[in-house]
Amino acid sequence: FEPGQTQLHVRVATVDDHLVEATEFIKLQATVVSGETANATHANQTAIEDNDLPPVDAVLAQVSATDTNLMIVLDTSGSMNLDSGIHGLTRMQAAVQAIETLLDRYEEIGDVAVRLVTFSSEAGALGDTWLSVADAKALLASLDLNGDGGTFYNKALASLSAAYDTAAGRLDDAQTVAYFLSDGAPTLPIAGQTVPRDGRLSDVQLEQWLKFVDDHSVKSYAIGMGADVSKNFLDGIAYEIGRAHV
C-alpha cells in the first residue's frame, strides 16, 4: 500500500479449490495500522466466483494509514447567514455539516489532529491546542451559527499560521492539509474611512503565506461558497508544494 491508498486488488484461491462450486464464500479481514496503534479490525464475508487457482498459503501484511494534521478556516461573516440552496440550510450551517463530514473522511484513513479557525472582521483559533476529531466536532456544535462582520482574509491566514505553531496535540510524521472556506470577496476599503478596512492579502502577506505553506509542506485548498467569491482571491490561498492553485 502507498500512503492514502484505500483499495487492494488480489487473486484469491480457497483451500478447497479442487471442488467445483458455482459460488464460494470467504472472509476478508484487514487491520488498519496507524503508526504503532492498530485500529479496529474490519471483516467482510464476500461471495466469489469459483476459480481453478491452486491453494495458496495465507499472507499477513501490515498496512500503514495516513495521519493528518488538519487545519480548517471558516468564514463567519454576515453573508454566511444567506441561504445555501441546500435543504433550507444557511451557508454557515451547510459549511459546518461539510466540515464534520470532512473530519470523518480523514479519520477513516488514519489519526487526525485538528485546528479550527474562524474569521470575519477579526479572526482566531477555537481552542488552545490541536484537537481530536471528537473535540473539534464538539466545538463546531457550540459555534454561534449567526454570522456577523466583514471578510478579512489577511487576519484569517495570520491566525491559521499562528495556530499551526501550537505544538500540543500536533501529530508527528503526518501530512498537513488546510481548508479555507469563504462565501465572499475580502472586505475592501471605503473612500473616506479614517482607518481603512482592507481584508485583502497584500503582496507581502501573500508572500508570507506561501512561505508558510512551503516551509511546512502544507497542501492548501480554498473553497468558495456561493457566487459572491472570486477565484482570483482564492487562487492565492490554494497551494501545493511545487504547484499553486490546488
Side-chain angles (χ1 to χ4, degrees):
F1 266 72
E2 297 296 330
Q5 183 179 345
T6 58
Q7 293 184 343
L8 179 67
H9 297 277
V10 296
R11 298 182 68 191
V12 177
T14 57
V15 295
D16 66 344
D17 258 336
H18 60 283
L19 299 177
V20 178
E21 299 171 303
T23 304
E24 297 180 4
F25 289 89
I26 61 171
K27 178 173 285 187
L28 302 178
Q29 181 168 295
T31 299
V32 178
V33 178
S34 174
E36 297 181 353
T37 304
N39 296 330
T41 296
H42 302 279
N44 181 49
Q45 182 170 279
T46 304
I48 62 173
E49 295 299 320
D50 190 56
N51 60 79
D52 58 359
L53 292 175
V56 296
D57 294 331
V59 177
L60 178 62
Q62 179 170 311
V63 180
S64 295
T66 301
D67 298 337
T68 306
N69 290 312
L70 185 59
M71 302 186 293
I72 297 174
V73 186
L74 176 61
D75 183 349
T76 58
S77 62
S79 58
M80 290 291 283
N81 295 323
L82 297 176
D83 182 66
S84 68
I86 304 174
H87 306 304
L89 300 175
T90 66
R91 292 175 179 176
M92 182 88 75
Q93 292 168 332
V96 168
Q97 286 191 9
I99 292 170
E100 290 174 341
T101 299
L102 188 69
L103 294 173
D104 289 336
R105 294 296 175 264
Y106 275 95
E107 193 171 40
E108 288 174 359
I109 64 170
D111 292 337
V112 183
V114 186
R115 282 299 255 159
L116 298 172
V117 171
T118 59
F119 76 99
S120 55
S121 297
E122 300 296 333
L126 303 181
D128 299 324
T129 66
W130 291 81
L131 305 169
S132 67
V133 168
D135 288 342
K137 285 185 174 181
L139 273 179
L140 286 171
S142 67
L143 192 65
D144 184 357
L145 299 182
N146 294 310
D148 187 36
T151 309
F152 282 71
Y153 283 21
N154 43 18
K155 294 181 180 181
L157 296 187
S159 291
L160 178 63
S161 300
Y164 174 87
D165 289 337
T166 302
R170 192 172 65 213
L171 300 175
D172 296 326
D173 301 320
Q175 66 172 344
T176 302
V177 184
Y179 287 85
F180 180 95
L181 294 86
S182 179
D183 77 328
T187 297
L188 300 177
I190 299 174
Q193 286 180 327
T194 304
V195 179
R197 292 165 52 81
D198 193 344
R200 296 172 296 181
L201 291 171
S202 67
D203 290 342
V204 171
Q205 290 168 332
L206 178 58
E207 184 177 342
Q208 291 172 338
W209 168 249
L210 294 179
K211 184 178 187 303
F212 166 78
V213 294
D214 195 53
D215 287 349
H216 299 290
S217 300
V218 178
K219 180 182 288 187
S220 173
Y221 296 92
I223 300 172
M225 297 173 288
D228 299 327
V229 56
S230 169
K231 182 175 180 293
N232 293 333
F233 293 115
L234 296 177
D235 275 349
I237 299 171
Y239 186 80
E240 182 177 5
I241 300 303
R243 182 166 62 93
H245 315 328
V246 174

